[in-house]
Amino acid sequence: MGRRTHVVLAAAAPALLLVLLRLHMAVAADPPFSCGAPSSAAFCDRRLPIEQRAGDLVSKLTLEEKISQLGDESPAVDRLGVPAYKWWSEALHGVANAGRGVHLDGPLRAATSFPQVILTAASFNPHLWYRIGQVIGTEARGVYNNGQAEGLTFWAPNINVFRDPRWGRGQETPGEDPTMTGKYAAVFVRGVQGYAISGAINSSDLEASACCKHFTAYDLENWKGVTRFAFDAKVTEQDLADTYNPPFKSCVEDGGASGIMCSYNRVNGVPTCADHNLLSKTARGDWSFNGYITSDCDAVAIIHDVQGYAKAPEDAVADVLKAGMDVNCGGYIQTHGVSAYQQGKITGEDIDRALRNLFAIRMRLGLFNGNPKYNRYGNIRADQVCKKEHQDLALQAAQDGIVLLKNDAGALPLSKSKVSSVAVIGPNGNNASLLLGNYFGPPCISVTPFQALQGYVKDATFVQGCNAAVCNVSNIGEAVHAASSADYVVLFMGLDQNQEREEVDRLELGLPGMQESLVNKVADAAKKPVILVLLCGGPVDVTFAKNNPKIGAIVWAGYPGQAGGIAIAQVLFGEHNPGEILFHPTLSNSWRLS
Ligand SMILES: *[C@@H]1O[C@H](CO)[C@@H](O)[C@H](O)[C@H]1NC(C)=O
Ligand SMILES: *[C@@H]1O[C@H](CO)[C@@H](O)[C@H](O)[C@H]1NC(C)=O
Ligand SMILES: *[C@@H]1O[C@H](CO)[C@@H](O)[C@H](O)[C@H]1NC(C)=O
């Protein structure tokens, strides 16, 4: 480039900058919102109470428009300037694209992926849980403000009590303890919704909306053909009050949750989404719940189609609206709502009550205050998503969740200077997607345990040993050979999403297939006692490994998220002590768990 052009360019710089800025802004689309243009409508008047604004908007809708809003994909009402809204987004352990509202396929293609909840819970650190909630709230706004979301209602946390260890979704929960699950729920929700970690909640504004799910007594997917859709949980009143409901009570009362999801199963014969006692009397009445109640996806349809509890589709619609449910994940109310009204099975007030709850949430999210970019939370930009502090927190969560189960004769930590070669063996050692569990979005980074260990030991080899966690096709000979040729051996075993997930429960708690035999033969062949790392959400019975002196250490690492591979390597090499928990100094004692 010559001198002359240089000068010309310098003179044109301000204009050029403007063009560049324009280009940059064009990348991010405007998020959907209402009340951008000056309006005399009361529902746009920010000075009025939310209830009044929601009531005003509902009073302006026709019957057909009203019914159209009662599904998770709510269409636009153009004549009132109301955009479409998608109620279903997921953020179990990071903003995910598992629902319908969030799209990580535009300028933003990833979000911070924290460990699966069962591991994070094992940190016993409510401040960490709160910070994760905060990051999710921030990244959710970042994605929304960047025009890549059509909703800000996230269907997390999953706080069902993990009572049956075979449950495929136990990995999503904080575990089997109702009190701890309740603490997790409260601080996570506070973080997501933009509240302080404790103390009075003095604003109804929502950074993002969290949802306590699945209300209630749900911990079965499919056990020998008994499915969650048909299951009728027989629960005593005492068990409901002592075990299944305390996390929901805490989620609502202490967390100030703005959403609840009723579950698929029945409780003592009544579908939870059709249970007035549960939704209206207990949640809205006893716990003062102020928010919206959604069904699990297609949970209204199954009340008729699977459970036969409702004789006609219109009866199912009436059952849930009269019980206090507000929005149906799925199109069942949208399809059968008008006829339910025409048949006199639901009243205008049944419909309006639900709609007021729904629009109140959208208003609390600030979506009826003009362009959210110029409102509270409007300054949260795309650069907040996957930023370093968030990724560091994902690493901390993995480090602090990991549990040391056995460490005989000082097998751990390993010393970088002493380990000249390592054989990494097992189906879970080099599988990036396995680290994320379920309900995840694309992570900011992806490093498997084997890749992370390669950063510590130059001479590192990987042998899978069997086809996958199912381990019904093995190559134990190759694994044994690798084990006998290396200085140290680290085995990565456990479960994967084919063994435990939504719709899949386990039948027993042992390691699947030939895993046990693989571990024992490798341990026999190795020069020194081996290290066994378990990647799984639900518990596995490893009594054999506990009792085998050739297995020097056992580490449980759950499904540790995007930084899990790195965290495991750090723990194995003593750079992080998983027994050390860092509490936030300002945290009051009441938030500590002993
Ligand atoms: C609301 O609560 C926050 C933190 O709990 C506090 O900092 C703030 O001063 C409170 N605002 C009002 C108006 O009470
Ligand atoms: C990797 O993990 C995923 C998720 O759990 C699983 O579906 C897949 O089968 C695993 N692949 C192998 C080769 O183990
Ligand atoms: C291994 O198990 C999977 C899942 O159950 C099954 O689909 C496959 O056929 C099995 N393979 C063999 C060789 O048994």
Side-chain angles (χ1 to χ4, degrees), residues 190 195-203:
R190 279 172 175 263
Y195 301 157
I197 188 171
S198 60
I201 297 164
N202 53 20
S203 162

Side-chain angles (χ1 to χ4, degrees), residues 467 470 472-473:
N467 50 342
V470 61
N472 56 2
V473 181

Side-chain angles (χ1 to χ4, degrees), residues 262-327:
C262 46
S263 57
Y264 288 116
N265 56 289
R266 284 169 285 176
V267 174
N268 300 325
V270 183
T272 60
C273 293
D275 192 339
H276 183 270
N277 194 43
L278 198 61
L279 306 188
S280 293
K281 187 172 167 296
T282 303
R284 289 199 191 278
D286 298 347
W287 304 340
S288 303
F289 171 64
N290 174 26
Y292 78 103
I293 302 178
T294 180
S295 75
D296 204 333
C297 294
D298 294 327
V300 180
I302 64 165
I303 292 173
H304 170 261
D305 299 350
V306 179
Q307 298 170 347
Y309 179 86
K311 294 293 166 256
E314 288 79 7
D315 294 323
V317 170
D319 287 343
V320 297
L321 289 180
K322 287 186 183 295
M325 202 198 81
D326 302 310
V327 67

Side-chain angles (χ1 to χ4, degrees), residues 427-428 431-435 437 464 466-469 495-498 559:
N428 290 355
N431 184 344
S433 69
L434 179 119
L435 302 178
Q464 203 163 295
C466 42
N467 50 342
L495 306 173
D496 67 15
Q497 296 302 306
N498 297 306
Y559 296 121

Side-chain angles (χ1 to χ4, degrees), residues 43 75 88 115 140 187 201 226 256 264 374 379 384 443 448 464-465 509-510 547 552 561 579 582:
F43 71 80
W88 180 11
V187 294
I201 297 164
V226 179
Y264 288 116
Y374 308 115
N379 59 350
Q384 294 293 304
T448 68
Q464 203 163 295
L509 300 180
N547 295 335
L582 298 171

Side-chain angles (χ1 to χ4, degrees), residues 32-204:
F33 60 87
S34 297
C35 305
S39 165
S40 59
F43 71 80
C44 288
D45 187 345
R46 299 170 71 162
R47 293 162 308 182
L48 296 177
I50 293 279
E51 290 67 29
Q52 196 179 329
R53 296 175 64 189
D56 176 64
L57 176 53
V58 172
S59 75
K60 292 183 160 76
L61 299 173
T62 66
L63 176 68
E64 284 71 19
E65 285 167 346
K66 287 178 179 182
I67 297 295
S68 78
Q69 298 299 306
L70 298 177
D72 67 287
E73 297 193 76
S74 303
V77 185
D78 289 329
R79 67 184 184 87
L80 296 174
V82 176
Y85 187 84
K86 292 195 175 161
W87 287 92
W88 180 11
S89 294
E90 300 285 351
L92 179 67
H93 52 109
V95 172
N97 54 358
R100 291 189 175 147
V102 168
H103 310 291
L104 293 172
D105 55 0
L108 287 171
R109 296 188 166 265
T112 307
S113 192
F114 293 95
Q116 184 60 297
V117 176
I118 191 90
L119 186 77
T120 297
S123 70
F124 289 90
N125 184 348
H127 188 260
L128 173 68
W129 307 335
Y130 174 70
R131 286 283 297 124
I132 290 173
Q134 276 190 314
V135 168
I136 288 172
T138 303
E139 294 203 354
R141 276 287 168 175
V143 171
Y144 192 84
N145 291 342
N146 209 46
Q148 290 183 241
E150 297 164 89
L152 278 166
T153 35
F154 291 87
W155 291 352
N158 179 346
I159 51 168
N160 290 114
V161 171
F162 189 5
R163 207 180 207 188
D164 190 323
R166 298 164 296 184
W167 185 31
R169 300 185 73 179
Q171 57 178 307
E172 299 175 31
T173 76
E176 76 279 19
D177 184 273
T179 303
M180 189 176 114
T181 300
K183 294 236 179 210
Y184 177 89
V187 294
F188 177 85
V189 166
R190 279 172 175 263
V192 171
Q193 296 193 164
Y195 301 157
I197 188 171
S198 60
I201 297 164
N202 53 20
S203 162
S204 75

